[in-house]
C-alpha cells in the first residue's frame, strides 16, 4: 500500500478546501471500498480526510415532507430507521440486500453512492482496464462477463455499477446534496452516475473536492407501495446479477404513478423510463407488465457471458410489478 497521511475532518469548509486543494487527497467514509482499493493498488491517495465525524449522521423529515439523509449515516442505521422503513421500504430492502451486517455497520450513505465497480479486471492491476487506466483496453468485452452490462455500455467499458442503495434512490427520485469549492448544489441521483461512453474512468458527474453532505428523498404520493428485489448467485453477500426497485401508485386498478429502476445491468442505476411510459395511466395487468418490460429491454446488448440477464431482468421486472400492483408475492 502507498504511504498516506490521515486527517480527521473537524469542520465541513476546511474538509472541502483541503481535498479540493490537493489532487491526491480523498474523503474517507467507512473505508470498506476505498481501503480495499488501496490495498489492491487500484487507488493511491496520499491523504485521507475522514468525514465520519462531520455533523451528517441524522435522518430528518423536512417541512416539505421530503426526508434528508446525512452523508455519514451508516447503511445499517438507515435500513433500520423507522421513517425509512415506513415510507420507503424499497430503500430499506435495498440496503439490507447489500454486503453483510458488519460492512453495513461501517458503510456510509456517501461512500455507498461512490463505491466503484466490482469488475474483476478493474480490480486486477495485471489486466487492461480503461476505467482504471484510460486507453489500456477493456478485458471484459471478450472475457469474463457474467456480471457485466446489457444496457448503455460502450466499446470502452462494460462494467456495471454495484450499489443496491443507489438503484432504490433512483426509483425514488432522490437527489444528492453536494458541497464543492463553488458552493452547494443538488444533483438528481439519476443524473449523478454516468454511462461509460469514452470516459469510463469517470463514474459520476462530481469533480475533485466535491463532498456529499446528504441525500434527499421526496415524499411519495399517499398509497404508493415500493419494494426492491435482488437476484444473485448466493442468498447473501453477493452483488446483483439483476435487481429491480419499484414504487407504484394504483387508483382503482389504474397505474397513476410508477417509478422503476434496474440494477446490475448498466454502468449506472438504470431508470426504466420506457417501461414507466407503457404503464402510466393504463390498467395494471399482466399483459401490460410484460409489454413494459419488453419495451425497456428492447435495446439490450448482452455479451457472450451474460445473455441470461435479458430474460432475468424482464422476468424480475414483471414479478415485482405483479407483487406491488396485484399483491401476488413470491
Ligand atoms: C465483500 C463485500 C461485499 C459487498 N457487497 C455489496 C452488495 O451486495 N451491494 C452493495 O451495494 N454494496 C456492497 N458492498 C460495497 C459496500 O456497500 C461499499 O463498500 C460501501 O457502501 C462503501 O461505503 P464506505 O462509507 O465504506 O465508503 P468508502 O470506502 O469510505 O469510500 C468510497 C468512496 O466514496 C468516497 N467518499 C466517501 N464518503 C464521501 C463523501 N461524503 N463525499 C464524497 N466522497 C465520499 C471515498 O473517497 C471513496 O472514493 C460490498 C463490499 C464488500 C467489501
Amino acid at each position: 500500500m502507498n504511504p498516506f497521511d490521515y486527517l480527521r475532518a473537524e469542520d465541513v469548509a476546511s474538509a472541502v478546501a483541503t481535498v479540493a486543494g490537493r489532487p491526491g487527497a480523498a474523503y474517507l467514509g467507512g473505508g470498506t471500498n476505498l481501503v480495499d482499493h488501496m490495498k489492491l493498488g487500484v487507488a493511491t491517495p496520499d491523504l485521507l480526510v475522514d468525514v465520519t465525524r462531520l455533523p451528517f449522521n441524522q435522518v430528518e423529515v423536512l417541512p416539505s415532507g421530503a426526508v434528508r439523509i446525512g452523508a455519514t449515516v451508516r447503511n445499517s442505521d438507515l435500513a433500520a430507521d423507522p421513517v425509512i422503513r415506513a415510507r420507503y421500504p424499497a430503500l430499506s430492502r435495498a440496503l439490507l440486500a447489500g454486503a453483510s451486517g458488519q460492512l453495513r455497520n461501517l458503510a456510509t450513505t456517501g461512500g455507498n453512492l461512490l463505491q466503484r465497480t466490482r469488475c474483476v479486471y478493474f480490480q486486477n492491476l495485471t489486466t487492461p482496464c480503461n476505467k482504471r487506466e484510460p486507453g489500456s483496453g477493456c478485458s471484459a468485452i471478450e472475457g469474463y462477463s457474467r456480471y457485466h452490462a446489457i444496457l448503455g455500455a460502450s466499446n470502452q467499458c462494460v462494467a456495471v455499477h454495484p450499489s443496491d442503495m443507489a438503484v432504490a434512490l433512483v426509483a425514488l427520485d432522490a437527489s444528492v446534496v453536494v458541497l464543492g469549492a463553488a458552493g452547494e448544489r443538488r444533483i438528481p441521483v439519476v443524473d449523478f452516475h454516468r454511462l461509460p461512453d469514452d470516459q469510463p474512468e469517470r463514474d459520476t458527474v462530481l469533480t475533485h473536492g466535491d463532498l456529499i453532505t446528504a441525500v434527499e428523498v421526496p415524499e411519495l404520493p399517499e398509497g404508493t407501495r415500493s419494494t426492491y428485489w435482488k437476484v444473485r448467485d448466493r442468498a447473501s453477500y453477493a452483488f446483483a446479477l439483476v435487481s429491480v426497485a419499484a414504487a407504484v401508485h394504483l387508483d382503482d386498478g389504474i397505474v397513476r404513478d410508477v417509478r422503476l429502476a434496474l440494477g446490475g445491468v448498466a454502468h449506472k442505476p438504470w431508470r426504466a423510463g420506457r417501461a414507466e411510459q407503457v404503464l402510466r395511466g393504463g390498467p395494471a395487468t399482466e399483459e401490460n407488465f410484460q409489454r413494459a418490460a419488453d419495451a425497456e429491454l428492447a435495446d439490450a446488448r448482452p455479451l457472450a457471458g451474460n445473455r441470461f440477464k435479458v430474460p432475468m431482468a424482464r422476468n424480475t421486472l414483471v414479478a415485482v410489478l405483479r407483487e406491488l400492483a396485484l399483491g401476488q408475492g413470491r
Side-chain angles (χ1 to χ4, degrees):
M1 200 193 278
N2 259 27
F4 62 92
D5 295 324
Y6 171 88
L7 183 73
R8 179 172 289 157
E10 301 295 345
D11 73 277
V12 179
S14 64
V16 173
T18 302
V19 175
R22 185 153 156 180
Y27 297 114
L28 179 70
T32 62
N33 193 229
L34 180 56
V35 175
D36 278 1
H37 284 161
M38 291 168 68
K39 290 181 194 162
L40 291 167
V42 170
T44 53
D46 59 23
L47 169 66
L48 294 184
V49 176
D50 184 342
V51 297
T52 56
R53 303 286 172 94
L54 292 178
F56 301 139
N57 65 347
Q58 300 294 320
V59 178
E60 307 160 75
V61 180
L62 302 176
S64 65
V67 172
R68 185 181 172 96
I69 302 161
T72 63
V73 173
R74 307 285 178 171
N75 287 180
S76 296
D77 294 335
L78 187 58
D81 185 275
V83 173
I84 300 298
R85 283 170 56 105
R87 291 197 186 187
Y88 312 110
L91 178 54
S92 187
R93 283 170 190 255
L95 285 157
L96 292 174
S100 65
Q102 292 92 333
L103 287 159
R104 293 193 295 269
N105 288 343
L106 268 182
T108 60
T109 305
N112 189 316
L113 280 171
L114 290 177
Q115 62 176 293
R116 306 208 69 193
T117 185
R118 309 303 286 204
C119 175
V120 289
Y121 303 106
F122 174 72
Q123 295 186 319
N124 181 346
L125 294 191
T126 67
T127 55
C129 168
N130 286 323
K131 183 179 276 299
R132 181 170 32 74
E133 198 182 328
S136 62
C138 173
S139 304
I141 291 175
E142 300 286 330
Y144 178 70
S145 55
R146 178 171 176 76
Y147 284 92
H148 291 71
I150 57 170
L151 290 164
S154 74
N155 61 7
Q156 300 277 308
C157 180
V158 293
V160 296
H161 181 74
S163 166
D164 291 294
M165 180 191 79
V167 180
L169 291 175
V170 163
L172 295 170
D173 284 329
S175 297
V176 188
V177 185
V178 175
L179 185 65
E184 186 178 273
R185 64 196 195 278
R186 277 175 173 64
I187 307 166
V189 185
V190 70
D191 300 326
F192 182 79
H193 300 98
R194 297 178 63 257
L195 289 177
D197 301 320
D198 57 1
Q199 273 192 303
E201 69 277 14
R202 290 189 61 212
D203 293 347
T204 70
V205 297
L206 293 186
T207 54
H208 183 72
D210 282 341
L211 174 71
I212 298 176
T213 58
V215 168
E216 288 181 1
V217 193
E219 199 170 13
L220 293 172
E222 178 87 24
T224 300
R225 303 181 65 204
S226 78
T227 195
Y228 183 79
W229 282 30
K230 177 174 178 178
V231 184
R232 48 187 155 172
D233 280 327
R234 283 191 305 258
S236 75
Y237 206 41
F239 286 88
L241 290 165
V242 161
S243 69
V244 174
V248 178
H249 180 227
L250 289 189
D251 181 11
D252 210 13
I254 302 296
V255 178
R256 292 295 172 211
D257 188 50
V258 57
R259 304 150 195 232
L260 303 169
L262 303 177
V265 296
H267 193 260
K268 60 185 284 184
W270 186 265
R271 181 76 185 233
R274 288 188 186 178
E276 292 175 5
Q277 220 175 334
V278 171
L279 293 165
R280 202 166 282 128
T285 59
E286 176 78 19
E287 192 195 345
N288 279 352
F289 302 160
Q290 292 185 8
R291 280 181 47 232
D294 287 340
E296 194 60 55
L297 291 157
D299 290 343
R301 297 283 175 272
L303 297 156
N306 67 10
R307 293 190 216 288
F308 68 93
K309 277 194 179 186
V310 180
M312 182 180 273
R314 178 187 187 277
N315 293 343
T316 310
L317 186 51
V318 171
V320 165
L321 289 166
R322 201 183 287 136
E323 177 186 90
L324 284 181
L326 306 178
Q328 295 167 6
R330 277 172 273 192

